Amino acid sequence: MTTQEAAGIQAVDRAFDIVETLTELDGAGVSELGRHLELPKSTVHNHLQTLERNEYVVRQDGEYRAGLKFLRVSETARNQHELYQIARSEVDHLAEKTGEISALMIEEHGRGVFVYRSRGSEAARIDTCVGDRVPIHCTALGKAILAFLPPERRDEIVDRHGLEAVSPNTITDREVLAEELEAIRDRKIASDDEERLSGLRSVAAPILDGSNAVIGSISVAGPTHRMRGERFETELPEMVLGIANVIELNIQHT
Amino acid sequence: MTTQEAAGIQAVDRAFDIVETLTELDGAGVSELGRHLELPKSTVHNHLQTLERNEYVVRQDGEYRAGLKFLRVSETARNQHELYQIARSEVDHLAEKTGEISALMIEEHGRGVFVYRSRGSEAARIDTCVGDRVPIHCTALGKAILAFLPPERRDEIVDRHGLEAVSPNTITDREVLAEELEAIRDRKIASDDEERLSGLRSVAAPILDGSNAVIGSISVAGPTHRMRGERFETELPEMVLGIANVIELNIQHT
DNA sequence: TCGAAGCGTTCCACGATGCTGAACATTTAT
DNA sequence: ATAAATGTTCAGCATCGTGGAACGCTTCGA
């Protein structure tokens, strides 16, 4: 690379770089990839052949694309989360009952990963997709997790990723965040007032396992004009909390 | 490896080997992985660190697991298939209307990949999952695709993968297969009479794009006792064909 | 309480191996 | 018909991944 920042296996780093830019470009050829990654064609070619042999890359119409074998890996990785298996139908349920979008998040590497999402009948247009990774401090889902992490993990995450302003309403001050997390711990409810996306509000609750460690969170999200007053303050929080409790009970029974 | 079969990048091959066994073992430590792959701990460690830096592997409770970043890759890879975007809701529709399991398949590297699946109210218990890759000759979905591939691709696939007997009913004779594919081309309908799984029958139709090339297939599958007579011979085929036509129309309009 | 055995991690030297640039085909565009 | 893309092959060099051994650390069992 440009600097000697990384002390990993170069070839592996590059392989994943290639796969990622391949998805970004929606498929590409050897030369095009080489240009984007500033690598000689031969190197890229070599990697693509290796990736194709392993079926992680597919070639069609003279273009290379990311293969569906990733689906196999991701699907088993996701299914290995007991939380996903259990929460899935409950998230569907929540979406149906509220008519809005409901989602499940798990934290990884200090970021929030959307693991599942279900759309109710009135659901807003899609903003995020399953698999998306967002800064953890700017979502109700993320804050619900953050609030219940052990303090040292919490600090570590904020130190590493900072508090980037994703929207005008994003919390960017550590003090303010700390207070909000405190409040979240009290109510077991987090909310997001257009902190990630203007026009979008959401309500979330953490999911704790048998030993009271957070393993994820669930939420309901919708356009601000539908998320206000009694509904936003009381109704939805109670619903979300109710479903969260159901999930927690199911988790402890397995 | 044991032989010098592969002419690819060793480090990359190993990285994916590690990820795959990691999913198989449902998480593992350095030593355990080393034993399974017959590699020294130091090598495995080196790889795991690289993979973790890239967030494709996560460490928790002293165990390494495949990370959810794969979800990001697979999700974008899947969404790049126009077919998936369009067929998804129609497959849901088909599952609802029939009460059975409905699925979407795309061919990759000569195998059939389950890209999406929807369960109706009466749906049989789960047998395969999204992301699973099955021999293409033993499913209605696979045969529907195979029948409409260009003859040279067809031969190439059969040559490479053979006709393994997956169940007692699997077609293992090239002649027999050729005849069946001929019939499938006539009706635009393929069926599977317990050829992959005993007790499971299914009906599938190919999806062709604007230039009459197969891009995938859809199906309905259920327990044999519900899949017989008029329903199996006429009703379901007509429904599947109908939905397939809807999808094809939508595809050509984009 | 103290070993013994397991784990993950670090170190270093060797040599296999991934990287590169240039030359080669092959297709597309002008 | 020429030029400029493309993907592919090749071979030499230096790199960098490899793997053995040694290091701490925890977890057992005696």
Side-chain angles (χ1 to χ4, degrees), chain B residues 10 29-31 35 45 59 64:
Chain B
Q10 199 194 43
V30 178
S31 303
R35 248 177 281 119
H45 180 72
R59 184 175 193 173
Y64 293 91

Side-chain angles (χ1 to χ4, degrees), chain A residues 4-203:
Chain A
Q4 79 287 21
E5 33 143 339
I9 300 176
Q10 198 193 44
V12 176
D13 286 335
R14 287 186 171 171
F16 282 106
D17 265 7
I18 287 177
V19 169
E20 284 168 27
T21 58
L22 218 41
T23 64
E24 280 165 26
L25 300 176
D26 198 345
V30 178
S31 303
E32 194 178 353
L33 273 172
R35 246 178 281 119
H36 276 260
L37 296 165
E38 297 181 349
L39 288 175
K41 291 191 291 181
S42 44
T43 301
V44 175
H45 181 71
N46 198 201
H47 274 274
L48 285 173
Q49 279 212 324
T50 304
L51 289 167
E52 202 198 0
R53 265 197 329 100
N54 289 55
E55 306 197 1
Y56 284 98
V57 151
V58 176
R59 185 173 192 175
Q60 52 180 228
D61 314 320
E63 261 201 358
Y64 292 92
R65 337 179 90 267
L68 293 171
K69 195 162 179 188
F70 283 101
L71 201 54
R72 181 157 222 315
V73 178
S74 70
E75 211 65 14
T76 64
R78 179 159 69 167
N79 279 316
Q80 282 170 5
H81 285 273
E82 199 184 8
L83 175 58
Y84 170 68
Q85 307 244 44
I86 290 171
R88 194 179 170 157
S89 57
E90 299 299 333
V91 169
D92 285 337
H93 186 202
L94 192 54
E96 197 186 349
K97 235 169 55 171
T98 61
E100 307 285 355
I101 287 184
S102 176
L104 169 68
M105 177 172 285
I106 289 179
E107 177 265 339
E108 255 188 21
H109 288 276
R111 317 199 80 210
V113 184
F114 284 94
V115 173
Y116 186 64
R117 217 197 41 182
S118 190
R119 314 186 59 207
S121 50
E122 314 285 322
R125 77 196 173 295
I126 307 174
D127 56 296
T128 40
C129 301
V130 168
D132 277 355
R133 306 163 84 79
V134 300
I136 204 162
H137 66 288
C138 68
T139 348
L141 282 163
K143 289 189 291 182
I145 293 175
L146 207 50
F148 286 85
L149 282 177
E152 60 273 13
R153 279 287 314 281
R154 198 152 60 220
D155 292 340
E156 184 195 323
I157 290 175
V158 178
D159 286 344
R160 177 141 54 104
H161 296 282
L163 299 175
E164 188 199 350
V166 177
S167 90
N169 276 20
T170 310
I171 299 175
T172 56
D173 186 276
R174 291 178 84 119
E175 284 288 326
V176 177
L177 181 64
E179 281 169 30
E180 172 134 3
L181 295 184
E182 184 64 40
I184 292 170
R185 272 189 292 275
D186 285 346
R187 285 188 72 196
K188 268 194 100 178
I189 278 290
S191 59
D192 158 17
D193 181 14
E194 312 195 348
E195 293 162 37
R196 184 176 60 87
L197 205 66
S198 293
L200 191 86
R201 275 184 162 179
S202 63
V203 175

